[in-house]
Structure formats: structure tokens, C-alpha cells
Amino acid sequence: MPREISLFGILMPSLLVVFLLSASIHVGIDWLCGHFGVYRHVWHRSLFRLSLLVCIFGAVALLIYR
């Protein structure tokens, strides 16, 4: 994967694509957690959501950048 992507003449880092992909995955997992009541068992909901996003981002980035 290239280090930079040209979008209408603007160079953007390729990790932006990885972040957008992980954010969309996070939205789905967040909806599932809310629907099945996982957040009732979590001490700090916002901290759990942030750490979930970081874990998804790290996993997707490691899968792409081996």
C-alpha cells in the first residue's frame, strides 16, 4: 500500500483509509454492543468505546501493513 494517496491533488496518508474502515467496523460493533446490552456490564462506556476503536484500528493496520 502506498504511503500517501492523492485525492484531488491533496496528499493524504494511507492510514486515513484504514481509520475510516475501522471506524465503520466500530459503528457496527457499537450497535451490536448496545443492542445486546453489553454496555450494562462495562464500568466506563466511553473508555470502552475508545479502546475498542483503538483495538480495531490496530488490528486492521497490522493486517494490511505486514
Side-chain angles (χ1 to χ4, degrees):
M1 184 174 242
R3 293 187 184 267
E4 295 173 340
I5 298 171
S6 178
L7 185 67
F8 300 112
I10 300 171
L11 293 176
M12 305 187 96
S14 60
L15 280 178
L16 179 66
V17 177
V18 174
F19 177 74
L20 293 175
L21 176 66
S22 63
S24 64
I25 294 170
H26 177 262
V27 167
I29 292 175
D30 186 44
W31 181 81
L32 285 173
C33 287
H35 182 70
F36 289 115
V38 174
Y39 290 132
R40 288 183 288 156
H41 305 289
V42 174
W43 171 68
H44 199 282
R45 182 177 178 176
S46 299
L47 187 60
F48 178 77
R49 291 175 73 190
L50 177 65
S51 63
L52 184 64
L53 178 63
V54 169
C55 289
I56 293 170
F57 178 71
V60 172
L62 284 175
L63 283 174
I64 292 176
Y65 291 107
R66 276 192 176 190

